[in-house]
Amino acid sequence: AQTVTQSQPEMSVQEAETVTLSCTYDTSESDYYLFWYKQPPSRQMILVIRQEAYKQQNATENRFSVNFQKAAKSFSLKISDSQLGDAAMYFCAYGIIQGAQKLVFGQGTRLTINP
Amino acid sequence: DTGVSQNPRHKITKRGQNVTFRCDPISEHNRLYWYRQTLGQGPEFLTYFQNEAQLEKSRLLSDRFSAERPKGSFSTLEIQRTEQGDSAMYLCASSLIGAGQGLTYEQYFGPGTRLTVT
């Protein structure tokens, strides 16, 4: 069975600085996607960034970038120039391309931004 | 595009009562997913529909749970004889899968229904 592990229950960073959230996963599949979702307090989950496993190039979305290490099954999220609005729970998720494409989520990392 | 909506947002019920939640997906989306999220944990998959067909159910979905998606539009999730262990956030997500739709596999989530069983 696929599993996703986020080893950092909580992280904090000073506003304008950079923070990296860690994620590891376990799978025997070769074709899959990895995602980082953001869940602000009492608000719905939104997609931050997506990485296709077959792509070697790391995905980037504005201030958000990933470090995807397929052999190590590692998928970390780097947030540059942290802003107060980045404060939220961040979930790493895995989904295979075929079939249900259901997502398997990690336990989440609570990110606090200190002004 | 008004996004995924869920009703009610909060539900408090007594143990043993039945509850029903509704999810309205993004209108053109053909896939609809239900997840359950307990406090301090990530969401866990419960079931999904492609159009009106329920194609997979997790072992987390006991016989007390039933989901429907008539006509491939909105979906309902019913829990019969609720137990305190059913207290959680129930999330709905939708996506568009098919030829020519692009391979984004992105699921769009609703705000969730928070269930408290007393």
Side-chain angles (χ1 to χ4, degrees):
Chain A
Q2 295 88 7
T3 58
V4 177
T5 302
Q6 294 178 248
S7 59
Q8 305 154 316
E10 297 184 356
M11 292 281 285
S12 63
V13 64
Q14 291 296 123
E15 192 177 4
E17 294 191 347
T18 296
V19 64
T20 299
L21 308 184
S22 301
C23 172
T24 59
Y25 61 95
D26 188 23
T27 183
S28 57
E29 300 287 338
S30 58
D31 292 331
Y32 53 89
Y33 273 77
L34 295 164
F35 306 87
W36 280 96
Y37 277 88
K38 170 185 177 182
Q39 189 176 40
S42 301
R43 295 182 61 185
Q44 62 202 81
M45 199 169 307
I46 58 174
L47 180 67
V48 173
I49 198 165
R50 170 182 54 244
Q51 174 77 44
E52 295 90 334
Y54 65 87
K55 289 188 177 179
Q56 292 185 339
Q57 186 174 4
N58 289 324
T60 300
E61 288 287 343
N62 300 313
R63 298 182 296 107
F64 299 87
S65 62
V66 299
N67 183 4
F68 173 48
Q69 301 290 327
K70 190 172 184 179
K73 295 180 181 174
S74 170
F75 183 61
S76 61
L77 174 69
K78 185 172 79 172
I79 306 174
S80 304
D81 186 25
S82 298
Q83 301 176 359
L84 295 178
D86 295 333
M89 283 292 288
Y90 284 82
F91 292 98
C92 177
Y94 159 99
I96 62 172
I97 290 178
Q98 301 301 321
Q101 297 165 357
K102 60 191 174 187
L103 297 177
V104 178
F105 287 86
Q107 304 93 322
T109 296
R110 182 175 302 280
L111 178 63
T112 301
I113 311 296
N114 301 313
Chain B
D1 179 1
T2 57
V4 179
S5 61
Q6 292 186 246
N7 288 288
R9 294 291 304 277
H10 303 273
K11 179 71 176 178
I12 300 175
T13 191
K14 293 185 177 180
R15 184 167 51 93
Q17 298 294 305
N18 299 343
V19 295
T20 300
F21 311 140
R22 176 177 171 129
C23 170
D24 287 89
I26 293 172
S27 58
E28 67 270 23
H29 283 186
N30 51 7
R31 283 206 175 174
L32 187 148
Y33 299 81
W34 285 99
Y35 294 85
R36 182 172 71 185
Q37 185 179 19
T38 53
L39 203 60
Q41 299 296 318
E44 295 175 288
F45 169 79
L46 291 178
T47 188
Y48 91 101
F49 294 82
Q50 175 136 346
N51 300 312
E52 66 276 8
Q54 187 175 18
L55 296 184
E56 185 172 335
K57 294 191 288 187
S58 162
R59 59 179 174 76
L60 294 176
L61 215 64
S62 74
D63 292 344
R64 297 184 297 105
F65 288 71
S66 62
E68 295 182 343
R69 191 184 183 198
K71 301 179 182 178
S73 55
F74 69 93
S75 176
T76 58
L77 178 67
E78 181 183 16
I79 308 175
Q80 297 182 327
R81 305 181 302 281
T82 52
E83 302 173 356
Q84 288 188 325
D86 297 331
S87 295
M89 176 78 84
Y90 290 84
L91 298 171
C92 175
S94 69
S95 68
L96 180 61
I97 302 295
Q101 303 303 334
L103 300 178
T104 64
Y105 302 99
E106 179 173 351
Q107 294 184 19
Y108 295 79
F109 282 82
T113 295
R114 182 169 295 283
L115 173 66
T116 302
V117 182
T118 62

